Amino acid sequence: MDIFDVAIIGAGVVGCATARRLALAGKRVLVLEKAGDILSGASKANSAILHTGFDAPPGSLELDCVQAGYAEYLAIRESMNLPLLQTGAMVVAWTEEEEARLAELESQAHANGISDACRIGRRAVADREPQLSDAARAALIVPGEHVIDPWSPFLAYARQAINGGSHFVFDAEVTSGLFDGKTWTLTTAKGAFSANGVVNCAGLYGDVVEQRLLGSSSFSIRPRKGQFAVFDKAASRLLTTIILPVPNERTKGVVLCRTAFGNVLIGPTAEEQLDRDNASVDEATLSQLIARARVMLPALGNVPITAVYAGLRPATEEKHYRIRHEPDLNWLSIGGIRSTGMTASLGLAQHAVRLLLGGDGPLSDLTAAPAEPVPNLAEHRTRDWQLAGYGEIVCHCEMVTRREIEAAFAGPLPPGDPGGLKRRTRCTMGRCQGFNCLGRLTELTGSRLAHPFPGERL
Ligand SMILES: Cc1cc2nc3c(=O)[nH]c(=O)nc-3n(C[C@H](O)[C@H](O)[C@H](O)COP(=O)(O)OP(=O)(O)OC[C@H]3O[C@@H](n4cnc5c(N)ncnc54)[C@H](O)[C@@H]3O)c2cc1C
């Protein structure tokens, strides 16, 4: 049996970024994912904010990884054609008590190296965001917080890992494993695989994977649901800056911000639940969220809702990231990456490689794994439909072209299911939620999706 250097369990944001970094370090990497595509777990639904770490716990691993991830994203994004919607953020105080907390937050931001964070008063808030309710009393501006496309970076990292010799296997849930002192043999739904080391990036199942393979787990996942409502595209003209609440100990709170896809979203809530898979939404919570958005930004009162969704954070019984390194077992768990993981992923990947391969200096790339530009999905940049020769518009709400659908299947790592196709093209994400284009998408995808659109035969 082929023996890989490292097997990564889970192809969420952490698994994809870690695969890329290990591949760049010259390792042969195998990624085992139980779903039909990358980003099928916690990573499929988030707020897409590239965080600076201004409010992260000072001196924490989370702060280090967020800041390293942020810096690396900016350094590599152009070579991969990845967007940055430069918005900045304002932590807005709506009450006297919240206003009193801004000074403390400003000091924390400065202590965390975010020296351009500064407080502004009521008038400056109104000048910056004229549509915001005049109940906004003051704010802390954090100019470096931005919005990105939550999906394309990880497709780009996975493809770069593949260019460096990595393999991704889908529908391959790891059910057990045996370490013989040198090599791990992992049993999956797709057969057995061998690797010298294992990195557990199983997100909402990180503790279950430890239990299955090590016999005990060092943390326990407490899923924390976040519901969102997405306003129609007209809303994106009403707001520039990310509007953050004053955070509390448990959560960063509900955000109002533009998306890279040209909408405005409100969310996420923070609801504890036992179920690790069910990210359902409920009408009462969504109504409250939407009402809150309309209080903050009254002009949203006339803007309809395009979509609602929810994501599950892989939170644990403790707030900090849960890293378990067992050098004698060639094992590393990167667990409990709850609410900053999209930003921190590249930093976590650097941390993982230093733990596994030793050294604490700058990492050098040992393999020629070329970065490939991915198609642009961001609304503020040129979309495919604006260029000649696209053939046909397939999804009219999101202006997705047939050429984009074909490109998704042509590249390394084609989509494995409808969600994967959506995350590569934006199809079905718009006002009609696929009602009008599902038939055409079904025809075009044929039997190319391992998990087809509902109703399509394999
Ligand atoms: C509501 C919400 C808002 C957020 N907002 C932001 C934000 O604005 N900015 C930011 O930086 N971060 C944000 N995050 C955080 C970020 O999305 C998460 O930290 C991140 O997605 C966690 O990724 P992961 O790779 O650890 O887990 P996952 O994405 O869950 O990946 C784990 C993968 O492992 C697979 N798996 C599980 N068990 C097995 C097994 N036995 N065998 C094989 N595969 C297995 C799963 O199918 C899954 O694909 C947010 C998260 C949520 C939920």
Side-chain angles (χ1 to χ4, degrees), residues 327-340:
D328 294 347
L329 296 172
N330 298 345
W331 178 277
L332 179 67
S333 284
I334 309 178
I337 312 301
R338 28 167 230 344
S339 51
T340 44

Side-chain angles (χ1 to χ4, degrees), residues 10 14 33-34 42-43 46-47 49 51 174 337-341 343:
V14 178
E33 166 55 53
K34 78 172 172 185
S43 303
N46 64 45
S47 324
I49 297 176
H51 295 296
V174 176
I337 312 301
R338 28 167 230 344
S339 51
T340 44
T343 310

Side-chain angles (χ1 to χ4, degrees), residues 359-410:
D360 53 10
L363 298 167
S364 46
D365 300 348
L366 299 180
T367 310
E372 275 183 22
V374 285
N376 169 55
L377 302 187
E379 196 65 13
H380 65 288
R381 302 170 80 205
T382 306
R383 298 275 315 283
D384 192 54
W385 66 267
Q386 294 166 296
L387 302 169
Y390 57 76
E392 171 192 350
I393 302 287
V394 179
C395 166
H396 286 262
C397 301
E398 294 296 303
M399 299 298 277
V400 180
T401 67
R402 179 170 179 175
R403 184 166 59 190
E404 289 177 296
I405 304 284
E406 294 305 332
F409 285 100

